[in-house]
Amino acid sequence: ASGLGLINRRGRQQDWFRGRVLFPIADVNGDPIGFGGRILPGRDGPKYINSADCAVYHKSRVLYALDRAKAAIVAHQPAEAIICEGYTDVIAFERIGLGRAVATCGTALTDEHVNVLKRFAGRFVLAFDADEAGQSAAERFYTWEQAHGIDVVVADLPPGVDPGDLAQRDPERLRDAVEGATPFLEFRLNRLLGSLPLDSPEHRARAAERAVAVVAEHPSELVRDQ
């Protein structure tokens, strides 16, 4: 029932996380409730598997390392949480002195995650490729900002590079990305305009049309106007 074992094809009980390095997942109080498992070299299977939802573990409510990061989140001014997608990303942030990072456990950020995290932070720094999330994520982020009075900003990481890799190669670049995080709308506009040619009136007009479409998604008339 806890998801730690299974019955294999031979009818024998087997460890669910066999051949994996484990990341214990705790609730906000520090009590272990599940695991994430990364495949070891030479093994077959998905890169990561997580505990399945059960009586004590619900991935849509749990943020990895929040029990360890909550003090640093609250101590930062303003209170700020860095949100990643991977366990090793959280560890990388901790190693470069940014101990206020948490991660979702194999799922997108949910309303329940936000309800848990807003108890500690009023500013959420997204440290993953938010550009890929596009319009569907924009609607959720803007809704959270309005409903909960939080700020959702984006760390401008190099495209295709995750925080764990960047922390090893260029830790100062990662710190700068967090400290210089921009509002989600500004981030999307910068990424859009940076990817389009602006060398002629026609190109600039097309870019402007696409930028206006992005601005139009924001629910606040005052923000859209500015």
Side-chain angles (χ1 to χ4, degrees):
S2 69
L4 294 177
L6 59 91
I7 304 300
N8 64 22
R9 295 173 185 171
R10 299 176 183 174
R12 297 176 182 174
Q13 186 166 282
Q14 178 181 311
D15 175 14
W16 173 248
F17 291 103
R18 188 173 184 175
R20 293 177 180 272
V21 59
L22 294 184
F23 299 85
I25 300 167
D27 64 17
V28 71
N29 298 316
D31 294 322
I33 54 175
F35 294 93
R38 178 169 174 156
I39 196 78
L40 288 169
R43 296 276 186 165
D44 295 324
K47 183 176 180 180
Y48 280 99
I49 58 173
N50 300 293
S51 288
D53 281 7
C54 63
V56 296
Y57 175 76
H58 303 277
K59 65 182 178 182
S60 63
R61 303 176 196 168
V62 176
L63 289 158
Y64 173 70
L66 180 56
D67 58 309
R68 296 170 179 266
K70 61 187 179 183
I73 290 171
V74 173
H76 188 271
Q77 292 300 318
E80 175 184 274
I82 303 166
I83 304 173
C84 317
E85 290 184 319
Y87 310 113
T88 54
D89 293 335
V90 170
I91 294 169
F93 275 114
E94 173 71 32
R95 291 181 69 184
I96 66 168
L98 299 177
R100 56 188 186 276
V102 299
T104 55
C105 299
T107 183
L109 198 63
T110 67
D111 292 340
E112 291 167 299
H113 287 140
V114 173
N115 283 326
V116 170
L117 202 51
K118 72 175 184 178
R119 292 161 47 194
F120 305 98
R123 176 178 161 97
F124 296 2
V125 180
L126 307 181
F128 50 82
D129 195 346
D131 204 30
E132 291 184 356
Q135 184 175 348
S136 59
E139 187 175 336
R140 285 185 291 120
F141 297 158
Y142 298 149
T143 298
W144 292 334
E145 287 184 322
Q146 288 194 310
H148 302 297
I150 60 175
D151 292 323
V152 178
V153 296
V154 183
D156 190 11
L157 303 170
V161 177
D162 63 45
D165 293 334
L166 191 57
Q168 288 189 327
R169 296 203 319 247
D170 192 351
E172 204 56 45
R173 173 70 174 82
L174 183 56
R175 290 191 193 95
D176 290 343
V178 171
E179 291 175 8
T182 57
F184 187 61
L185 177 56
E186 181 180 346
F187 168 80
R188 293 189 70 201
L189 287 173
N190 288 342
R191 275 286 174 95
L192 173 67
L193 296 175
S195 68
L196 298 173
L198 303 172
D199 56 343
S200 71
E202 291 79 10
H203 284 160
R204 288 192 289 274
R206 288 190 203 120
E209 288 170 356
R210 291 182 62 181
V212 166
V214 170
V215 173
E217 295 168 9
H218 199 285
S220 169
E221 183 179 352
L222 292 173
V223 171
R224 293 195 306 270
D225 179 65
Q226 292 181 57

